[in-house]
Amino acid sequence: MRVIDYIANLKLSDEKEKEYFNELRSLSYLATGLRFIYEKVQRVEDEVIERLPKNKQVSIFGNAPEMQGINQDLVACAFHWYAVTACNYVKMVGWLANNGDSSKAREYMQSVLPQVYLWRHKVAAHFAIIDPQKNDNAADLAMSVMFPISFDNDAFYTGSFTLTISKGGNKSRSRQDMRWSLTHTHCDLIPRYWRENRPKR
């Protein structure tokens, strides 16, 4: 019996484990990649934290002095890579747990990674501005291609800011349900999927 989600107590029988060898192998290499991205971003965050005043709330966007020498472009790309990979991982778990039911796999992914899932669809997998959906307003489309990350207190986040656009008498405001931290998200996923590989934070 193999546990694929400790929190939801999702397991595969020995027979299913043999049947889904390739799917489980995919989970294995995706988990390795997620941990790699997490460790790289955590090191950058630790460097920024060392430069910040202690016991003060901080929000940084752009080229503040504390960001000198920090490659924020790579961190932003790490969010793209992590979002796509994490959604692939979680959706596969949902698919395995529901006997290949794609609809239930999607529901499971949305319940585990709601903010990451939305950000993946609006930014990481494709920018909303080049593939707009009916529910995307002008501010959502513009926000999808704005530089995505800020540093808030102890970690990089995406979705920390809201954009308001007024055009031709119409006002729109970007959605506010896509805020997430790569490193905090990864640490939240560990007790669910990788209890044997707890990183230090």
Side-chain angles (χ1 to χ4, degrees):
M1 190 74 70
R2 176 170 178 155
V3 179
I4 54 174
D5 182 331
Y6 290 96
I7 291 176
N9 196 30
L10 303 178
K11 299 176 182 178
L12 292 181
S13 66
D14 293 341
E15 183 180 327
K16 287 290 186 182
E17 190 171 349
K18 290 176 183 176
E19 178 184 346
Y20 291 130
F21 173 83
N22 289 321
E23 289 81 357
L24 292 169
R25 179 70 180 94
S26 295
L27 288 182
S28 177
Y29 76 72
L30 291 177
T32 299
L34 290 169
R35 184 180 175 112
F36 176 82
I37 297 168
Y38 160 80
E39 288 174 348
K40 294 296 183 185
V41 173
Q42 182 195 27
R43 284 192 201 109
V44 177
E45 289 179 348
D46 288 345
E47 186 176 343
V48 176
I49 290 169
E50 284 297 313
R51 302 175 181 184
L52 297 175
K54 308 302 179 195
N55 303 318
K56 287 189 178 180
Q57 291 191 335
V58 176
S59 184
I60 301 171
F61 180 78
N63 295 319
E66 296 84 358
M67 292 293 166
Q68 187 173 359
I70 300 295
N71 194 331
Q72 293 186 71
D73 289 351
L74 271 181
V75 175
C77 283
F79 271 78
H80 281 251
W81 302 330
Y82 193 94
V84 172
T85 305
C87 285
N88 274 342
Y89 186 100
V90 174
K91 193 172 184 181
M92 175 60 78
V93 171
W95 187 86
L96 290 170
N98 291 285
N99 298 310
D101 187 318
S102 297
S103 178
K104 288 183 179 177
R106 189 179 306 107
E107 290 174 10
Y108 170 80
M109 178 176 61
Q110 289 173 309
S111 72
V112 174
L113 290 176
Q115 292 87 359
V116 179
Y117 170 75
L118 284 171
W119 197 79
R120 176 210 178 272
H121 284 335
K122 301 300 180 184
V123 182
H126 45 73
F127 297 113
I129 200 167
I130 61 174
D131 189 16
Q133 303 298 307
K134 290 181 180 178
N135 63 339
D136 293 328
N137 61 41
D140 290 328
L141 300 181
M143 194 71 171
S144 74
V145 288
M146 291 183 68
F147 192 71
I149 59 170
S150 61
F151 194 90
D152 298 335
N153 297 323
D154 67 343
F156 285 102
Y157 281 84
T158 190
S160 291
F161 299 102
T162 302
L163 178 67
T164 301
I165 291 180
S166 295
K167 189 174 182 180
N170 294 319
K171 182 181 279 190
S172 62
R173 189 176 185 185
S174 62
R175 58 190 313 149
Q176 302 170 54
D177 52 358
M178 299 192 297
R179 185 175 188 270
W180 64 283
S181 153
L182 189 158
T183 51
H184 288 297
T185 295
H186 191 79
C187 288
D188 289 344
L189 292 178
I190 288 167
R192 182 180 291 275
Y193 299 122
W194 315 299
R195 290 187 175 183
E196 69 281 5
N197 294 315
R198 294 177 181 270
K200 295 177 181 178
R201 181 59 170 148

mmCIF file of all heavy atoms in Angstrom, residues 145-187:
data_model
loop_
_atom_site.group_PDB
_atom_site.id
_atom_site.type_symbol
_atom_site.label_atom_id
_atom_site.label_comp_id
_atom_site.label_asym_id
_atom_site.label_seq_id
_atom_site.Cartn_x
_atom_site.Cartn_y
_atom_site.Cartn_z
ATOM 1 N N VAL A 145 0.854 40.431 -17.425
ATOM 2 C CA VAL A 145 2.207 40.626 -17.975
ATOM 3 C C VAL A 145 3.026 41.653 -17.188
ATOM 4 O O VAL A 145 4.114 42.037 -17.615
ATOM 5 C CB VAL A 145 2.163 41.011 -19.474
ATOM 6 C CG1 VAL A 145 1.765 39.806 -20.311
ATOM 7 C CG2 VAL A 145 1.211 42.182 -19.723
ATOM 8 N N MET A 146 2.521 42.096 -16.055
ATOM 9 C CA MET A 146 3.320 42.947 -15.186
ATOM 10 C C MET A 146 4.299 42.081 -14.397
ATOM 11 O O MET A 146 4.046 40.900 -14.169
ATOM 12 C CB MET A 146 2.428 43.741 -14.223
ATOM 13 C CG MET A 146 1.593 44.793 -14.925
ATOM 14 S SD MET A 146 0.609 45.771 -13.773
ATOM 15 C CE MET A 146 1.881 46.682 -12.917
ATOM 16 N N PHE A 147 5.421 42.662 -13.972
ATOM 17 C CA PHE A 147 6.397 41.872 -13.213
ATOM 18 C C PHE A 147 5.697 41.279 -11.997
ATOM 19 O O PHE A 147 5.076 42.005 -11.218
ATOM 20 C CB PHE A 147 7.588 42.735 -12.787
ATOM 21 C CG PHE A 147 8.728 41.909 -12.261
ATOM 22 C CD1 PHE A 147 9.488 41.128 -13.112
ATOM 23 C CD2 PHE A 147 9.010 41.877 -10.910
ATOM 24 C CE1 PHE A 147 10.538 40.351 -12.632
ATOM 25 C CE2 PHE A 147 10.043 41.102 -10.408
ATOM 26 C CZ PHE A 147 10.810 40.337 -11.283
ATOM 27 N N PRO A 148 5.789 39.964 -11.791
ATOM 28 C CA PRO A 148 4.845 39.282 -10.902
ATOM 29 C C PRO A 148 5.182 39.207 -9.423
ATOM 30 O O PRO A 148 4.315 38.836 -8.631
ATOM 31 C CB PRO A 148 4.802 37.863 -11.485
ATOM 32 C CG PRO A 148 6.173 37.658 -12.038
ATOM 33 C CD PRO A 148 6.592 39.003 -12.569
ATOM 34 N N ILE A 149 6.420 39.492 -9.019
ATOM 35 C CA ILE A 149 6.770 39.186 -7.626
ATOM 36 C C ILE A 149 7.114 40.422 -6.808
ATOM 37 O O ILE A 149 7.602 41.429 -7.320
ATOM 38 C CB ILE A 149 7.927 38.178 -7.533
ATOM 39 C CG1 ILE A 149 9.166 38.717 -8.238
ATOM 40 C CG2 ILE A 149 7.503 36.820 -8.083
ATOM 41 C CD1 ILE A 149 10.423 37.891 -7.991
ATOM 42 N N SER A 150 6.869 40.291 -5.510
ATOM 43 C CA SER A 150 7.304 41.284 -4.520
ATOM 44 C C SER A 150 7.863 40.494 -3.340
ATOM 45 O O SER A 150 7.653 39.288 -3.232
ATOM 46 C CB SER A 150 6.139 42.165 -4.074
ATOM 47 O OG SER A 150 5.137 41.373 -3.462
ATOM 48 N N PHE A 151 8.557 41.192 -2.456
ATOM 49 C CA PHE A 151 9.077 40.533 -1.253
ATOM 50 C C PHE A 151 8.317 41.086 -0.058
ATOM 51 O O PHE A 151 8.357 42.285 0.223
ATOM 52 C CB PHE A 151 10.580 40.795 -1.084
ATOM 53 C CG PHE A 151 11.229 39.886 -0.079
ATOM 54 C CD1 PHE A 151 11.768 38.678 -0.469
ATOM 55 C CD2 PHE A 151 11.287 40.227 1.263
ATOM 56 C CE1 PHE A 151 12.354 37.806 0.449
ATOM 57 C CE2 PHE A 151 11.870 39.383 2.200
ATOM 58 C CZ PHE A 151 12.415 38.171 1.783
ATOM 59 N N ASP A 152 7.608 40.204 0.644
ATOM 60 C CA ASP A 152 6.783 40.619 1.775
ATOM 61 C C ASP A 152 7.238 39.907 3.042
ATOM 62 O O ASP A 152 7.027 38.698 3.200
ATOM 63 C CB ASP A 152 5.309 40.306 1.513
ATOM 64 C CG ASP A 152 4.767 41.067 0.310
ATOM 65 O OD1 ASP A 152 5.311 42.132 -0.014
ATOM 66 O OD2 ASP A 152 3.806 40.586 -0.308
ATOM 67 N N ASN A 153 7.878 40.632 3.915
ATOM 68 C CA ASN A 153 8.339 40.177 5.236
ATOM 69 C C ASN A 153 9.428 39.113 5.185
ATOM 70 O O ASN A 153 10.565 39.374 5.561
ATOM 71 C CB ASN A 153 7.159 39.700 6.081
ATOM 72 C CG ASN A 153 6.181 40.818 6.359
ATOM 73 O OD1 ASN A 153 6.587 41.959 6.570
ATOM 74 N ND2 ASN A 153 4.906 40.516 6.366
ATOM 75 N N ASP A 154 9.108 37.901 4.724
ATOM 76 C CA ASP A 154 10.121 36.840 4.765
ATOM 77 C C ASP A 154 10.178 36.000 3.502
ATOM 78 O O ASP A 154 10.876 34.984 3.459
ATOM 79 C CB ASP A 154 9.867 35.905 5.953
ATOM 80 C CG ASP A 154 8.580 35.093 5.799
ATOM 81 O OD1 ASP A 154 7.732 35.464 4.954
ATOM 82 O OD2 ASP A 154 8.427 34.095 6.514
ATOM 83 N N ALA A 155 9.431 36.416 2.457
ATOM 84 C CA ALA A 155 9.378 35.577 1.268
ATOM 85 C C ALA A 155 8.928 36.386 0.053
ATOM 86 O O ALA A 155 8.305 37.442 0.182
ATOM 87 C CB ALA A 155 8.419 34.407 1.483
ATOM 88 N N PHE A 156 9.251 35.863 -1.124
ATOM 89 C CA PHE A 156 8.709 36.421 -2.360
ATOM 90 C C PHE A 156 7.280 35.924 -2.532
ATOM 91 O O PHE A 156 6.957 34.770 -2.244
ATOM 92 C CB PHE A 156 9.539 35.971 -3.569
ATOM 93 C CG PHE A 156 10.863 36.673 -3.681
ATOM 94 C CD1 PHE A 156 12.025 36.032 -3.288
ATOM 95 C CD2 PHE A 156 10.942 37.964 -4.186
ATOM 96 C CE1 PHE A 156 13.251 36.666 -3.386
ATOM 97 C CE2 PHE A 156 12.164 38.610 -4.296
ATOM 98 C CZ PHE A 156 13.327 37.960 -3.886
ATOM 99 N N TYR A 157 6.426 36.822 -2.999
ATOM 100 C CA TYR A 157 5.031 36.493 -3.277
ATOM 101 C C TYR A 157 4.663 36.998 -4.663
ATOM 102 O O TYR A 157 5.250 37.958 -5.167
ATOM 103 C CB TYR A 157 4.096 37.184 -2.276
ATOM 104 C CG TYR A 157 4.013 36.522 -0.935
ATOM 105 C CD1 TYR A 157 4.959 36.777 0.057
ATOM 106 C CD2 TYR A 157 2.973 35.636 -0.629
ATOM 107 C CE1 TYR A 157 4.889 36.170 1.305
ATOM 108 C CE2 TYR A 157 2.887 35.039 0.621
ATOM 109 C CZ TYR A 157 3.847 35.298 1.575
ATOM 110 O OH TYR A 157 3.768 34.690 2.805
ATOM 111 N N THR A 158 3.698 36.358 -5.257
ATOM 112 C CA THR A 158 3.047 36.904 -6.427
ATOM 113 C C THR A 158 1.606 37.226 -6.052
ATOM 114 O O THR A 158 1.071 36.658 -5.100
ATOM 115 C CB THR A 158 3.115 35.930 -7.619
ATOM 116 O OG1 THR A 158 2.679 36.609 -8.791
ATOM 117 C CG2 THR A 158 2.290 34.691 -7.378
ATOM 118 N N GLY A 159 1.020 38.166 -6.779
ATOM 119 C CA GLY A 159 -0.368 38.527 -6.511
ATOM 120 C C GLY A 159 -0.563 39.437 -5.316
ATOM 121 O O GLY A 159 -1.657 39.507 -4.766
ATOM 122 N N SER A 160 0.490 40.153 -4.912
ATOM 123 C CA SER A 160 0.380 41.017 -3.731
ATOM 124 C C SER A 160 -0.305 42.340 -4.026
ATOM 125 O O SER A 160 -0.791 43.008 -3.114
ATOM 126 C CB SER A 160 1.778 41.296 -3.159
ATOM 127 O OG SER A 160 2.330 40.129 -2.609
ATOM 128 N N PHE A 161 -0.323 42.733 -5.296
ATOM 129 C CA PHE A 161 -0.865 44.036 -5.644
ATOM 130 C C PHE A 161 -2.110 43.904 -6.508
ATOM 131 O O PHE A 161 -2.303 42.894 -7.191
ATOM 132 C CB PHE A 161 0.179 44.870 -6.385
ATOM 133 C CG PHE A 161 1.406 45.137 -5.574
ATOM 134 C CD1 PHE A 161 2.573 44.416 -5.800
ATOM 135 C CD2 PHE A 161 1.397 46.089 -4.565
ATOM 136 C CE1 PHE A 161 3.716 44.650 -5.044
ATOM 137 C CE2 PHE A 161 2.524 46.323 -3.798
ATOM 138 C CZ PHE A 161 3.686 45.605 -4.040
ATOM 139 N N THR A 162 -2.926 44.948 -6.467
ATOM 140 C CA THR A 162 -4.135 45.001 -7.286
ATOM 141 C C THR A 162 -4.011 46.169 -8.256
ATOM 142 O O THR A 162 -3.553 47.248 -7.882
ATOM 143 C CB THR A 162 -5.381 45.206 -6.397
ATOM 144 O OG1 THR A 162 -5.444 44.142 -5.444
ATOM 145 C CG2 THR A 162 -6.647 45.208 -7.230
ATOM 146 N N LEU A 163 -4.390 45.932 -9.495
ATOM 147 C CA LEU A 163 -4.341 46.973 -10.524
ATOM 148 C C LEU A 163 -5.757 47.417 -10.851
ATOM 149 O O LEU A 163 -6.658 46.595 -11.034
ATOM 150 C CB LEU A 163 -3.663 46.414 -11.783
ATOM 151 C CG LEU A 163 -3.577 47.356 -12.990
ATOM 152 C CD1 LEU A 163 -2.635 48.520 -12.686
ATOM 153 C CD2 LEU A 163 -3.108 46.594 -14.223
ATOM 154 N N THR A 164 -5.941 48.744 -10.908
ATOM 155 C CA THR A 164 -7.227 49.306 -11.321
ATOM 156 C C THR A 164 -7.023 50.091 -12.605
ATOM 157 O O THR A 164 -6.084 50.885 -12.704
ATOM 158 C CB THR A 164 -7.811 50.234 -10.236
ATOM 159 O OG1 THR A 164 -7.984 49.478 -9.029
ATOM 160 C CG2 THR A 164 -9.152 50.805 -10.660
ATOM 161 N N ILE A 165 -7.872 49.850 -13.585
ATOM 162 C CA ILE A 165 -7.780 50.537 -14.878
ATOM 163 C C ILE A 165 -9.106 51.236 -15.162
ATOM 164 O O ILE A 165 -10.174 50.630 -15.041
ATOM 165 C CB ILE A 165 -7.455 49.547 -16.020
ATOM 166 C CG1 ILE A 165 -6.033 49.009 -15.877
ATOM 167 C CG2 ILE A 165 -7.638 50.195 -17.385
ATOM 168 C CD1 ILE A 165 -5.630 48.023 -16.955
ATOM 169 N N SER A 166 -9.012 52.515 -15.536
ATOM 170 C CA SER A 166 -10.188 53.269 -15.980
ATOM 171 C C SER A 166 -9.997 53.616 -17.452
ATOM 172 O O SER A 166 -8.994 54.238 -17.827
ATOM 173 C CB SER A 166 -10.354 54.557 -15.171
ATOM 174 O OG SER A 166 -10.635 54.256 -13.819
ATOM 175 N N LYS A 167 -10.928 53.193 -18.263
ATOM 176 C CA LYS A 167 -10.807 53.429 -19.700
ATOM 177 C C LYS A 167 -12.187 53.599 -20.313
ATOM 178 O O LYS A 167 -13.043 52.727 -20.176
ATOM 179 C CB LYS A 167 -10.077 52.246 -20.354
ATOM 180 C CG LYS A 167 -9.695 52.478 -21.797
ATOM 181 C CD LYS A 167 -8.863 51.311 -22.308
ATOM 182 C CE LYS A 167 -8.422 51.553 -23.739
ATOM 183 N NZ LYS A 167 -7.603 50.442 -24.264
ATOM 184 N N GLY A 168 -12.382 54.739 -20.965
ATOM 185 C CA GLY A 168 -13.657 54.993 -21.631
ATOM 186 C C GLY A 168 -14.855 54.942 -20.705
ATOM 187 O O GLY A 168 -15.928 54.474 -21.093
ATOM 188 N N GLY A 169 -14.656 55.388 -19.470
ATOM 189 C CA GLY A 169 -15.753 55.378 -18.515
ATOM 190 C C GLY A 169 -15.943 54.051 -17.806
ATOM 191 O O GLY A 169 -16.792 53.943 -16.916
ATOM 192 N N ASN A 170 -15.179 53.060 -18.207
ATOM 193 C CA ASN A 170 -15.268 51.749 -17.553
ATOM 194 C C ASN A 170 -14.090 51.554 -16.609
ATOM 195 O O ASN A 170 -12.955 51.855 -16.954
ATOM 196 C CB ASN A 170 -15.269 50.628 -18.599
ATOM 197 C CG ASN A 170 -16.512 50.662 -19.472
ATOM 198 O OD1 ASN A 170 -17.608 50.901 -18.975
ATOM 199 N ND2 ASN A 170 -16.340 50.433 -20.754
ATOM 200 N N LYS A 171 -14.374 51.055 -15.434
ATOM 201 C CA LYS A 171 -13.321 50.788 -14.457
ATOM 202 C C LYS A 171 -13.262 49.294 -14.172
ATOM 203 O O LYS A 171 -14.294 48.646 -14.009
ATOM 204 C CB LYS A 171 -13.589 51.548 -13.152
ATOM 205 C CG LYS A 171 -12.503 51.366 -12.096
ATOM 206 C CD LYS A 171 -12.835 52.123 -10.807
ATOM 207 C CE LYS A 171 -12.474 53.581 -10.949
ATOM 208 N NZ LYS A 171 -12.559 54.289 -9.636
ATOM 209 N N SER A 172 -12.055 48.765 -14.165
ATOM 210 C CA SER A 172 -11.896 47.349 -13.826
ATOM 211 C C SER A 172 -10.762 47.206 -12.814
ATOM 212 O O SER A 172 -9.837 48.011 -12.778
ATOM 213 C CB SER A 172 -11.594 46.511 -15.071
ATOM 214 O OG SER A 172 -10.372 46.901 -15.664
ATOM 215 N N ARG A 173 -10.860 46.158 -12.020
ATOM 216 C CA ARG A 173 -9.871 45.887 -10.985
ATOM 217 C C ARG A 173 -9.416 44.446 -11.106
ATOM 218 O O ARG A 173 -10.247 43.541 -11.287
ATOM 219 C CB ARG A 173 -10.494 46.134 -9.612
ATOM 220 C CG ARG A 173 -9.521 46.092 -8.462
ATOM 221 C CD ARG A 173 -10.233 46.446 -7.171
ATOM 222 N NE ARG A 173 -9.293 46.520 -6.075
ATOM 223 C CZ ARG A 173 -9.634 46.719 -4.816
ATOM 224 N NH1 ARG A 173 -10.905 46.870 -4.500
ATOM 225 N NH2 ARG A 173 -8.733 46.775 -3.863
ATOM 226 N N SER A 174 -8.112 44.234 -11.019
ATOM 227 C CA SER A 174 -7.586 42.876 -11.170
ATOM 228 C C SER A 174 -7.989 41.998 -9.996
ATOM 229 O O SER A 174 -8.210 42.475 -8.883
ATOM 230 C CB SER A 174 -6.056 42.900 -11.314
ATOM 231 O OG SER A 174 -5.451 43.435 -10.158
ATOM 232 N N ARG A 175 -8.063 40.701 -10.261
ATOM 233 C CA ARG A 175 -8.500 39.747 -9.234
ATOM 234 C C ARG A 175 -7.501 39.705 -8.087
ATOM 235 O O ARG A 175 -6.320 39.961 -8.262
ATOM 236 C CB ARG A 175 -8.727 38.377 -9.849
ATOM 237 C CG ARG A 175 -7.544 37.772 -10.532
ATOM 238 C CD ARG A 175 -7.945 36.516 -11.312
ATOM 239 N NE ARG A 175 -8.765 35.638 -10.512
ATOM 240 C CZ ARG A 175 -9.717 34.837 -11.015
ATOM 241 N NH1 ARG A 175 -9.960 34.810 -12.303
ATOM 242 N NH2 ARG A 175 -10.410 34.045 -10.209
ATOM 243 N N GLN A 176 -7.999 39.342 -6.914
ATOM 244 C CA GLN A 176 -7.199 39.371 -5.689
ATOM 245 C C GLN A 176 -7.062 38.003 -5.044
ATOM 246 O O GLN A 176 -6.753 37.905 -3.853
ATOM 247 C CB GLN A 176 -7.856 40.340 -4.695
ATOM 248 C CG GLN A 176 -8.009 41.758 -5.233
ATOM 249 C CD GLN A 176 -8.863 42.617 -4.318
ATOM 250 O OE1 GLN A 176 -8.583 42.722 -3.126
ATOM 251 N NE2 GLN A 176 -9.904 43.205 -4.863
ATOM 252 N N ASP A 177 -7.246 36.946 -5.832
ATOM 253 C CA ASP A 177 -7.233 35.594 -5.267
ATOM 254 C C ASP A 177 -6.087 34.741 -5.802
ATOM 255 O O ASP A 177 -6.190 33.526 -5.863
ATOM 256 C CB ASP A 177 -8.570 34.899 -5.534
ATOM 257 C CG ASP A 177 -8.970 34.937 -7.014
ATOM 258 O OD1 ASP A 177 -8.235 35.530 -7.832
ATOM 259 O OD2 ASP A 177 -10.038 34.373 -7.351
ATOM 260 N N MET A 178 -4.972 35.393 -6.165
ATOM 261 C CA MET A 178 -3.841 34.637 -6.707
ATOM 262 C C MET A 178 -2.548 34.928 -5.941
ATOM 263 O O MET A 178 -1.456 34.794 -6.474
ATOM 264 C CB MET A 178 -3.642 34.936 -8.191
ATOM 265 C CG MET A 178 -4.821 34.562 -9.056
ATOM 266 S SD MET A 178 -4.451 34.584 -10.832
ATOM 267 C CE MET A 178 -4.042 36.305 -11.091
ATOM 268 N N ARG A 179 -2.645 35.316 -4.687
ATOM 269 C CA ARG A 179 -1.442 35.613 -3.905
ATOM 270 C C ARG A 179 -0.878 34.330 -3.295
ATOM 271 O O ARG A 179 -1.582 33.615 -2.592
ATOM 272 C CB ARG A 179 -1.750 36.620 -2.795
ATOM 273 C CG ARG A 179 -0.508 37.066 -2.029
ATOM 274 C CD ARG A 179 -0.853 38.147 -1.016
ATOM 275 N NE ARG A 179 0.345 38.714 -0.422
ATOM 276 C CZ ARG A 179 0.926 38.255 0.685
ATOM 277 N NH1 ARG A 179 0.408 37.220 1.331
ATOM 278 N NH2 ARG A 179 2.014 38.830 1.157
ATOM 279 N N TRP A 180 0.392 34.055 -3.579
ATOM 280 C CA TRP A 180 1.020 32.866 -3.001
ATOM 281 C C TRP A 180 2.531 33.024 -2.981
ATOM 282 O O TRP A 180 3.114 33.756 -3.761
ATOM 283 C CB TRP A 180 0.610 31.604 -3.765
ATOM 284 C CG TRP A 180 1.049 31.538 -5.198
ATOM 285 C CD1 TRP A 180 0.493 32.204 -6.263
ATOM 286 C CD2 TRP A 180 2.137 30.763 -5.730
ATOM 287 N NE1 TRP A 180 1.157 31.894 -7.423
ATOM 288 C CE2 TRP A 180 2.174 31.002 -7.130
ATOM 289 C CE3 TRP A 180 3.067 29.883 -5.172
ATOM 290 C CZ2 TRP A 180 3.106 30.404 -7.974
ATOM 291 C CZ3 TRP A 180 4.007 29.297 -6.011
ATOM 292 C CH2 TRP A 180 4.020 29.558 -7.395
ATOM 293 N N SER A 181 3.132 32.344 -2.029
ATOM 294 C CA SER A 181 4.585 32.298 -1.879
ATOM 295 C C SER A 181 5.067 30.919 -2.300
ATOM 296 O O SER A 181 4.505 29.897 -1.874
ATOM 297 C CB SER A 181 4.961 32.551 -0.411
ATOM 298 O OG SER A 181 6.193 31.927 -0.085
ATOM 299 N N LEU A 182 6.098 30.868 -3.108
ATOM 300 C CA LEU A 182 6.645 29.592 -3.563
ATOM 301 C C LEU A 182 7.152 28.771 -2.376
ATOM 302 O O LEU A 182 6.805 27.599 -2.224
ATOM 303 C CB LEU A 182 7.760 29.854 -4.579
ATOM 304 C CG LEU A 182 8.357 28.682 -5.357
ATOM 305 C CD1 LEU A 182 9.025 29.176 -6.635
ATOM 306 C CD2 LEU A 182 9.353 27.868 -4.538
ATOM 307 N N THR A 183 7.960 29.397 -1.530
ATOM 308 C CA THR A 183 8.565 28.631 -0.434
ATOM 309 C C THR A 183 7.541 28.224 0.626
ATOM 310 O O THR A 183 7.580 27.107 1.137
ATOM 311 C CB THR A 183 9.717 29.417 0.220
ATOM 312 O OG1 THR A 183 9.257 30.739 0.562
ATOM 313 C CG2 THR A 183 10.909 29.523 -0.723
ATOM 314 N N HIS A 184 6.610 29.097 0.956
ATOM 315 C CA HIS A 184 5.579 28.727 1.927
ATOM 316 C C HIS A 184 4.655 27.649 1.365
ATOM 317 O O HIS A 184 4.241 26.737 2.094
ATOM 318 C CB HIS A 184 4.777 29.950 2.356
ATOM 319 C CG HIS A 184 5.530 30.886 3.247
ATOM 320 N ND1 HIS A 184 5.989 30.516 4.487
ATOM 321 C CD2 HIS A 184 5.924 32.182 3.078
ATOM 322 C CE1 HIS A 184 6.629 31.543 5.054
ATOM 323 N NE2 HIS A 184 6.601 32.557 4.208
ATOM 324 N N THR A 185 4.342 27.756 0.085
ATOM 325 C CA THR A 185 3.513 26.731 -0.551
ATOM 326 C C THR A 185 4.201 25.380 -0.490
ATOM 327 O O THR A 185 3.587 24.356 -0.143
ATOM 328 C CB THR A 185 3.211 27.105 -2.013
ATOM 329 O OG1 THR A 185 2.421 28.293 -2.034
ATOM 330 C CG2 THR A 185 2.462 25.982 -2.728
ATOM 331 N N HIS A 186 5.496 25.361 -0.810
ATOM 332 C CA HIS A 186 6.227 24.095 -0.784
ATOM 333 C C HIS A 186 6.228 23.497 0.625
ATOM 334 O O HIS A 186 5.988 22.296 0.791
ATOM 335 C CB HIS A 186 7.660 24.291 -1.277
ATOM 336 C CG HIS A 186 8.374 23.002 -1.518
ATOM 337 N ND1 HIS A 186 8.172 22.254 -2.652
ATOM 338 C CD2 HIS A 186 9.267 22.315 -0.768
ATOM 339 C CE1 HIS A 186 8.909 21.157 -2.586
ATOM 340 N NE2 HIS A 186 9.586 21.170 -1.457
ATOM 341 N N CYS A 187 6.484 24.322 1.613
ATOM 342 C CA CYS A 187 6.480 23.828 2.996
ATOM 343 C C CYS A 187 5.101 23.317 3.402
ATOM 344 O O CYS A 187 4.991 22.351 4.174
ATOM 345 C CB CYS A 187 6.951 24.923 3.949
ATOM 346 S SG CYS A 187 8.725 25.278 3.825
#
